[in-house]
């Protein structure tokens, strides 16, 4: 009887999450939204492991005689329908392959991404535990100076621990490699550089040197300290990354969610002394920026958000008493676009109900109106807010797309430099 209750609970839980993964609505209670978003993404990115778990539970329940009676049979039917829905979700995830292939075909040499028939697809892309074997990482390297660490300690002792980064690289790099700086998300108040983003490991395996950085979190540390910290991490990269095989002359930045806002703000405010206290003369320029489900508009004049993002940011992240529209404009990537901005690549899951999908499309449209630089927008079919956190077809296809685009940007820049030198 006790296992029957466990089985019924799992049936209802996964049936609800599977349905919600299609529907995508968030609960109105803010504290439940983060758990719900994670649940959406878990189901949509790992449908096959969930199906495997359900089959095991069905077999075990059958052996224990759980399915005797009408009510258990109803639950069994619900379970079968849920598994059909999970298969549909899996096929839907495969559509990301087509989206990425179409997006990169102009500069990738018609590269064909792994298909169902490929060993790579089954060994890597649907393997929730896949980790490249020829990548090493160096963890918890401090990027703060002695004075910066002391200043952080005065606010709260643990804050200095956030001023650190990890470096990922190939075990035996053959030559100097370009660098990708990745900034984690988490609404500026949570998250960690050690989150298992497949993008980080893929780029390192592909030959890039990847730096994943932490930054001090709100509300203990008020914004724009997060932006300043990441610029400090970039300062460290410019000075030290050559020791890890990285090329300080080509650094791209990427981020998701709030990390995307920081990455974009960093790209738009490079060498701005306002955000470089006591290192004003340090070069904080980057060559390109990649955004994933990023927050690009804090002012939200188009009312894409279901919440008052501006008021929340001002009060809970920046520590301001009231909503300050000029401050929001100053830190919204949408309002920082310049004619000579660096190239941008923008991803957004079309089922993201946490950060509005439409906001990214609007950012791309405005970028094209203002800047002469390249920008590419790749909607990810079926992607929820944290799809890219899981080792799944969507995240691996996206990682390939990032690699191809950044290599394309780097190739074009090198070609332009060669022409200028002639």
């Amino acid at each position: 009887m006790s296992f029957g209750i466990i089985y019924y609970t799992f049936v209802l839980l996964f049936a609800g999450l599977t349905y919600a993964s299609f529907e995508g609505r968030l609960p109105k209670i803010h504290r439940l939204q983060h758990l719900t978003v994670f649940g959406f993404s878990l189901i949509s990115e790992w449908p096959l492991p969930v199906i495997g778990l359900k089959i095991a539970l069905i077999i075990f329940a059958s052996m224990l005689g759980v399915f005797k009676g009408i009510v258990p049979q109803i639950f069994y039917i619900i379970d079968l329908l849920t598994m059909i829905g999970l298969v549909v979700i899996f096929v839907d995830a495969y559509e990301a392959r087509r989206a990425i292939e179409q997006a990169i075909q102009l500069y990738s040499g018609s590269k064909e991404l792994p298909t169902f028939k490929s060993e790579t697809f089954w060994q890597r892309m649907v393997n929730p535990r896949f980790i490249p074997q020829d990548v090493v990482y160096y963890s918890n390297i401090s990027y703060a100076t002695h004075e910066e660490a002391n200043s952080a300690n005065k606010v709260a002792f643990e804050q200095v621990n956030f001023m650190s980064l990890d470096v990922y690289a190939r075990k035996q790099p053959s030559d100097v490699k370009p660098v990708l700086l990745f900034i984690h998300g988490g609404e500026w108040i949570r998250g960690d550089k050690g989150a298992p983003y497949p993008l980080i490991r893929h780029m390192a395996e592909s030959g890039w040197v990847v730096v994943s950085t932490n930054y001090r979190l709100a509300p203990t540390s008020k914004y724009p300290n997060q932006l300043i910290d990441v610029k400090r991490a970039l300062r460290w990269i410019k000075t030290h990354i050559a020791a890890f095989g990285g090329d300080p002359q080509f650094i791209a930045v990427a981020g998701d969610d709030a990390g995307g806002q920081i990455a974009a703000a960093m790209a738009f405010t490079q060498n701005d002394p306002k955000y470089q206290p006591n290192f004003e003369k340090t070069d904080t320029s980057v060559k390109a920026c990649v955004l994933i489900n990023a927050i690009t508009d804090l002012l939200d004049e188009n009312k894409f958000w279901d919440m008052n993002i501006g008021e929340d940011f001002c009060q809970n992240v920046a520590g301001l008493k009231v909503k300050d529209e000029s401050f929001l404009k100053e830190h919204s990537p949408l309002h920082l676009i310049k004619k000579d901005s660096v190239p941008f690549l923008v991803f957004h899951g079309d089922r993201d109900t946490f950060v509005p999908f439409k906001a990214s499309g609007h950012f791309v449209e405005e970028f094209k109106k203002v800047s002469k630089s390249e920008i590419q927008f790749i909607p990810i079919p079926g992607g929820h807010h944290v799809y890219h956190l899981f080792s799944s077809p969507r995240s691996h296809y996206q990682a390939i797309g990032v690699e191809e685009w950044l290599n394309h940007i780097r190739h074009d820049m090198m070609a332009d430099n060669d022409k200028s030198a002639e």
Side-chain angles (χ1 to χ4, degrees), residues 168-372:
Y168 295 75
R170 291 287 294 268
K171 289 181 179 179
Q172 296 178 334
S174 56
D175 53 8
V176 177
K177 299 298 184 181
V179 180
L180 176 65
L181 170 60
F182 188 85
I183 307 168
H184 71 78
E187 297 180 277
W188 304 276
I189 63 174
R190 63 176 63 85
D192 186 79
K193 59 182 171 53
Y197 293 97
L199 172 63
I200 292 175
R201 291 182 170 87
H202 173 88
M203 293 299 292
E205 186 184 30
S206 300
W208 284 63
V209 176
V210 183
V211 177
S212 181
T213 188
N214 270 350
Y215 46 87
R216 288 172 294 165
L217 301 174
T220 303
S221 189
K222 312 301 183 187
Y223 189 92
N225 283 341
Q226 291 73 26
L227 174 59
I228 293 170
D229 280 353
V230 172
K231 285 177 176 281
R232 287 168 173 156
L234 180 59
R235 174 190 61 190
W236 181 94
I237 294 172
K238 298 266 185 173
T239 304
H240 300 285
I241 204 62
F244 298 86
D247 179 8
Q249 300 303 314
F250 192 95
I251 302 171
V253 63
D256 71 309
D257 186 65
Q261 179 273 331
I262 298 171
M266 183 180 184
F268 288 131
T269 63
Q270 50 192 351
N271 299 325
D272 188 337
K274 184 177 181 180
Y275 307 113
Q276 298 177 205
N278 299 318
F279 62 107
E280 292 87 353
K281 295 183 179 180
T282 299
D283 178 18
T284 56
S285 62
V286 294
K287 301 298 185 184
C289 185
V290 178
L291 305 181
I292 304 169
N293 292 353
I295 298 172
T296 54
D297 184 14
L298 297 168
L299 203 56
D300 192 29
E301 293 172 306
N302 292 285
K303 306 300 179 184
F304 292 130
W305 289 77
D306 292 331
M307 60 178 287
N308 192 327
I309 179 65
E311 182 175 304
D312 180 75
F313 182 82
C314 285
Q315 295 181 2
N316 299 323
V317 180
L320 304 178
K321 293 183 179 180
V322 295
K323 182 178 178 180
D324 185 336
E325 293 194 357
S326 62
F327 180 82
L328 293 172
K329 207 168 189 179
E330 186 178 348
H331 295 285
S332 291
L334 179 68
H335 298 284
L336 296 175
I337 304 168
K338 301 178 179 65
K339 185 178 180 180
D340 59 349
S341 299
V342 300
F344 269 70
L345 173 63
V346 180
F347 293 94
H348 210 121
D350 64 8
R351 285 186 186 159
D352 185 355
T353 50
F354 198 73
V355 174
F357 173 77
K358 291 182 179 180
S360 282
H362 181 60
F363 171 77
V364 173
E365 291 174 1
E366 292 303 309
F367 188 99
K368 290 179 178 178
K369 293 177 184 177
V370 176
S371 180
K372 61 181 181 181

Side-chain angles (χ1 to χ4, degrees), residues 91-104:
V91 174
D92 189 31
Y94 188 66
E95 287 299 305
R97 171 181 173 270
R98 186 176 302 173
I100 299 296
E101 274 190 345
Q102 290 177 349
I104 68 175

